[in-house]
Amino acid sequence: MLILTRKPEESIMIGDDVEVKVLDIHDNKVRIGISAPKDVVVHRREVYQEIRRENVEASAPRTLEGLSSVFAQKARSANNAKRNE
């Protein structure tokens, strides 16, 4: 793992196309901005892990009873995401 120290408004480059910039540091939080081409997918780690988990779950064989629980879980996840916005 490469460890770097940056101050607000300083950035790092990943390859030629991706820039990660420190926007602000306040209390115990760092705000970063990411500039990347549209074909580069960027997610927070927890979102990425959820997407991967859902993809694995979606590819598993399902019974009709199992499908109804998947739809119910998706609805709960969508409602939770709306509350967190």
Side-chain angles (χ1 to χ4, degrees):
M1 175 184 295
L2 175 63
I3 299 173
L4 301 170
T5 302
R6 300 278 73 196
K7 296 177 183 175
E9 299 303 314
E10 293 182 339
S11 61
I12 63 169
M13 295 298 298
I14 301 174
D16 293 330
D17 297 332
V18 179
E19 178 181 13
V20 179
K21 185 174 187 178
V22 176
L23 301 175
D24 186 36
I25 302 171
H26 183 72
D27 294 329
N28 199 24
K29 294 185 179 182
V30 178
R31 289 183 62 220
I32 60 170
I34 302 169
S35 297
K38 290 187 181 217
D39 63 328
V40 175
V41 179
V42 178
H43 294 291
R44 294 187 327 261
R45 183 176 182 86
E46 62 273 17
V47 171
Y48 174 77
Q49 289 172 329
E50 179 67 14
I51 291 168
R52 292 204 50 196
R53 185 192 65 75
E54 287 181 3
N55 286 342
V56 167
E57 186 177 298
S59 66
R62 296 278 178 201
T63 63
L64 289 177
E65 294 82 24
L67 285 175
S68 64
S69 67
V70 169
F71 289 128
Q73 183 180 14
K74 290 275 191 193
R76 284 191 301 272
S77 294
N79 289 336
N80 289 337
K82 286 180 184 177
R83 281 188 234 135
N84 291 332
E85 290 179 350

